[in-house]
């Protein structure tokens, strides 16, 4: 099972730089071990506030308990809080081996609100066209992964990992999606993490 984990690190005031450097070095080494074991799949840095340490990770574990053991084993956990979200495969997911694109990476969270009274035939048509467009974007190297998120107040939610030239192109891609008129979209630009297994 895959999980998206947001990790926020707060180094206690007065901690020496030597201690910080030691924990970070042990964290990097242990992350390589976890990646070799198949638990750490990807790591990114989202936009940071001044002085903030925040990492987004894609993890794999058999269940919530195993994920917690993996996260507890990481040296930075002594200073870190983790927020894990379980991910389930989306029917339009290109698959874990499909990431062949280039360019900057982005995460998108889509929340779908189908207007009341929309005929089922229209919903089916837009959903079919959305699947076709997702396949096309994957073939173009833009859509890397797609997951379903836990529902929020009954609304359908999904998480996408994309590649685009820049934020403007990413916005164009999002607006081209057939479901766009029914979506709330949050887009997060990502930068590579030094310990990302993909690098």
């Amino acid at each position: 099972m895959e999980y998206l984990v947001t990790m926020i690190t707060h180094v206690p005031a007065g901690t020496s730089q030597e201690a910080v450097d030691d924990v970070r070095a042990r964290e990097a080494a242990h992350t390589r071990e976890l990646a070799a074991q198949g638990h750490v799949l990807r790591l990114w840095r989202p936009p940071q506030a001044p002085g903030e340490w925040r990492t987004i990770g894609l993890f794999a574990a058999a269940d919530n308990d195993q994920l917690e053991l993996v996260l507890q084993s990481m040296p930075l956990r002594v200073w870190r809080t983790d927020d894990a979200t379980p991910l389930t495969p989306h029917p339009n997911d290109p698959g874990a081996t499909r990431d062949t694109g280039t360019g900057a990476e982005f995460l998108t969270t889509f929340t779908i609100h189908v207007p009341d009274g929309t005929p089922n035939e229209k919903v089916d048509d837009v959903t079919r066209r959305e699947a076709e467009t997702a396949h096309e974007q994957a073939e173009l190297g833009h859509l890397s992964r797609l997951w379903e998120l836990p529902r929020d107040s009954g609304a359908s939610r999904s998480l996408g990992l994309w590649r685009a030239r820049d934020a403007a192109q990413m916005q164009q891609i999002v607006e081209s999606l057939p479901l766009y008129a029914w979506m709330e979209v949050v887009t997060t630009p990502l930068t590579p993490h030094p310990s990302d297994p993909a690098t």
Side-chain angles (χ1 to χ4, degrees):
M1 186 169 183
E2 292 177 313
Y3 296 83
L4 189 76
V5 182
T6 300
M7 300 170 278
I8 300 177
T9 302
H10 302 278
V11 178
T15 304
S16 70
Q17 188 60 49
E18 183 179 19
V20 171
D21 292 345
D22 174 65
V23 173
R24 291 182 88 164
R26 289 189 291 113
E27 177 85 358
H30 189 59
T31 299
R32 287 192 293 274
E33 294 173 7
L34 292 173
Q37 295 166 13
H39 292 301
V40 177
L41 306 179
R42 295 294 313 275
L43 291 173
W44 303 276
R45 287 196 170 135
Q48 309 274 337
E52 182 181 50
W53 287 16
R54 190 157 58 106
T55 299
I56 296 175
L58 180 63
F59 285 74
D63 53 30
N64 294 352
D65 291 339
Q66 186 185 48
L67 175 68
E68 180 58 24
L69 290 174
V70 168
L71 295 174
Q72 283 180 0
S73 75
M74 302 176 79
L76 273 174
R77 182 67 182 268
V78 296
W79 298 332
R80 201 179 69 205
T81 56
D82 299 326
D83 181 23
T85 302
L87 306 173
T88 54
H90 192 284
N92 299 336
D93 179 26
T97 60
R98 188 64 184 87
D99 185 8
T100 58
T102 59
E105 290 184 293
F106 298 84
L107 280 176
T108 57
T109 302
F110 300 138
T111 304
I112 309 298
H113 300 282
V114 178
D116 290 340
T118 304
N120 290 339
E121 296 79 10
K122 182 170 183 179
V123 174
D124 292 344
D125 175 64
V126 174
T127 302
R128 178 188 53 76
R129 290 190 289 115
E130 182 79 8
E132 292 171 354
T133 301
H135 178 75
E136 292 167 4
Q137 293 297 334
E139 289 298 316
L140 291 169
H142 294 306
L143 178 59
S144 301
R145 295 296 310 278
L146 193 62
W147 300 271
E148 290 183 342
L149 292 168
R151 286 182 170 264
D152 183 17
S153 300
S156 174
R157 300 167 63 231
S158 59
L159 177 75
L161 175 62
W162 304 79
R163 288 187 181 272
R165 182 178 57 254
D166 51 29
Q169 186 183 40
M170 186 65 241
Q171 184 61 28
Q172 290 174 351
I173 291 168
V174 168
E175 292 179 6
S176 75
L177 299 174
L179 280 171
Y180 179 69
W182 298 341
M183 286 179 176
E184 288 179 26
V185 184
V186 177
T187 301
T188 303
L190 304 171
T191 55
H193 190 285
S195 297
D196 180 19
T199 60

